[in-house]
Amino acid sequence: MSFGEQPAYLRVAGDLRRKIVDGALAPHTRLPSQARIRAEYGVSDTVALEARKVLMAEGLVEGRSGSGTYVRERVEPRRVTRTGYRSAEDRTPFRQEQADERMRGTWESRSEQEAASPEVARRLGAEPGDRVMCTRYLYRTEGEPMMIVNSWEPLAVTGRTPVMLPEEGPLAGRGVVDRMAAIDVVVDNVQEEVGARPGLAEETVVLGGVPGRVVIVVSRTFFASGRAVETADVVIPADRYRLSYHLPVR
């Protein structure tokens, strides 16, 4: 195959994609059947099937049991603004990360002690099996699930202090920086790594969609004098949200 040529299934998928984007195939419209694709484009059943698979993998169409394959409604992604880790007056960390101040953000959480997994221990600079406080959050915007956060804090730092439980006590919900300051731990650095992967089944059940749909994952760690005091994974549906970073110039 020479440079610039495409396999037949990609050419068919590309033409169907154009029709979806241009509106010729409107949302909730049934995608042409495999037989119709075969006849219209003069391709084999295998090529027609592979073209449909491409569109499904791209999230442009979805299968409905016993009914067929339909064009998905295209949702304009909302922004989730990341503004750094320093607190602002009367604003929760969640609200600081919202692009639109009029959006109504709510969350629910659950905290429990557990043994650090090898990966969590690596990120915290601890030993596997060390005790950590794990807090799992589900954030909603206007009632719609939009973000899962799994957070781990070493009990060697917060254990037996008023901030051991992130969502209880006098600083409940105030965020890592303010809570650590209350126990004389000064957070001076934060590291974020942004990646993407297929969503896990348990994540897509909560966030909506189907298993395997791509999610954005922000792996974040707060440091105080080089020591990790919290690490978290932020999971966001990639088809409904975009990350927008607003960082200060030093």
Side-chain angles (χ1 to χ4, degrees):
M1 183 172 61
S2 63
F3 180 77
E5 290 184 351
Q6 286 185 318
Y9 76 94
L10 289 182
R11 293 199 300 272
V12 173
D15 189 64
L16 291 170
R17 184 191 303 114
R18 178 186 57 77
K19 291 178 179 178
I20 292 171
V21 173
D22 291 348
L25 287 172
H28 309 294
T29 298
R30 187 172 181 176
L31 194 71
S33 67
Q34 190 167 312
R36 183 175 170 185
I37 292 175
R38 182 187 63 215
E40 183 175 342
Y41 292 95
V43 296
S44 67
D45 280 334
T46 299
V47 169
L49 178 60
E50 290 302 312
R52 289 158 64 92
K53 287 182 179 179
V54 168
L55 297 177
M56 292 189 74
E58 292 176 349
L60 295 173
V61 301
E62 60 185 359
R64 299 180 185 174
S65 180
S67 180
T69 304
Y70 291 80
V71 177
R72 289 184 62 208
E73 185 172 358
R74 300 185 68 201
V75 179
E76 185 66 25
R78 288 177 168 177
R79 289 184 301 159
V80 177
T81 299
R82 311 283 291 175
T83 59
Y85 66 89
R86 297 195 180 278
S87 60
E89 291 184 5
D90 300 323
R91 299 177 69 199
T92 67
F94 178 50
R95 289 304 296 259
Q96 289 187 66
E97 294 177 348
Q98 301 307 293
D100 187 342
E101 289 296 327
R102 297 167 299 177
M103 294 169 67
R104 296 183 178 275
T106 61
W107 70 87
E108 57 193 63
S109 65
R110 182 182 76 254
S111 294
E112 57 188 352
Q113 295 187 34
E114 62 180 42
S117 68
E119 173 62 15
V120 168
R122 181 190 67 79
R123 288 163 57 171
L124 289 174
E127 294 294 327
D130 283 357
R131 304 302 294 176
V132 296
M133 183 63 70
C134 176
T135 304
R136 306 185 190 281
Y137 297 87
L138 172 61
Y139 291 88
R140 291 184 171 88
T141 296
E142 298 178 349
E144 176 187 273
M146 54 83 64
M147 181 166 65
I148 294 171
V149 179
N150 295 320
S151 166
W152 298 271
E153 296 180 353
L155 288 173
V157 175
T158 62
R160 299 181 183 277
T161 73
V163 300
M164 185 174 73
L165 292 169
E167 295 299 322
E168 295 183 21
L171 294 178
R174 289 289 298 275
V176 175
V177 177
D178 290 342
R179 291 176 46 253
M180 292 297 166
I183 57 172
D184 298 322
V185 175
V186 179
V187 173
D188 54 19
N189 193 17
V190 60
Q191 175 182 308
E192 289 194 352
E193 294 182 355
V194 181
R197 60 167 171 76
L200 305 178
E202 54 267 32
E203 293 169 340
T204 52
V205 164
V206 173
L207 295 172
V210 296
R213 190 158 292 166
V214 176
V215 294
I216 301 168
V217 181
V218 181
S219 297
R220 179 197 69 204
T221 304
F222 286 104
F223 295 89
S225 299
R227 180 181 186 179
V229 297
E230 190 258 10
T231 193
D233 285 333
V234 181
V235 181
I236 304 169
D239 60 338
R240 303 205 307 270
Y241 295 92
R242 295 288 183 269
L243 293 180
S244 177
Y245 279 82
H246 292 243
L247 304 175
V249 176
R250 303 217 180 256

